Amino acid sequence: MARIEILVEEKSMKELLCVLLPTIVSPNWLINQNYFIRSFEGKADLQKNIPSRVKVL
């Protein structure tokens, strides 16, 4: 099964997505098993960490 990582700027967005996504995605998809939400400390931190997080197949 696929694995998806969602990168967000703030912890508050991560908390929102943790509540919202399970109602949208398939019940077979589980947070921290099939999809992961990673929060950063603002836009600059996110931009700095994108190259180490993104893997293109």
Side-chain angles (χ1 to χ4, degrees):
M1 185 173 275
R3 173 185 166 144
I4 297 175
E5 291 209 27
I6 301 166
L7 308 177
V8 296
E9 290 181 26
E10 304 168 348
K11 290 181 183 181
S12 61
M13 180 57 74
K14 178 180 178 177
E15 293 173 15
L16 172 74
L17 290 174
C18 285
V19 173
L20 184 64
L21 285 177
T23 65
I24 297 172
V25 299
S26 169
N28 298 339
W29 284 69
L30 302 172
I31 193 163
N32 295 328
Q33 289 185 13
N34 306 104
Y35 65 97
F36 302 82
I37 304 170
R38 312 281 188 218
S39 65
F40 294 90
E41 299 296 324
K43 186 176 181 178
D45 187 38
L46 172 61
Q47 288 177 327
K48 181 179 75 175
N49 285 289
I50 283 178
S52 65
R53 295 286 183 169
V54 175
K55 179 179 180 183
V56 179
L57 300 174

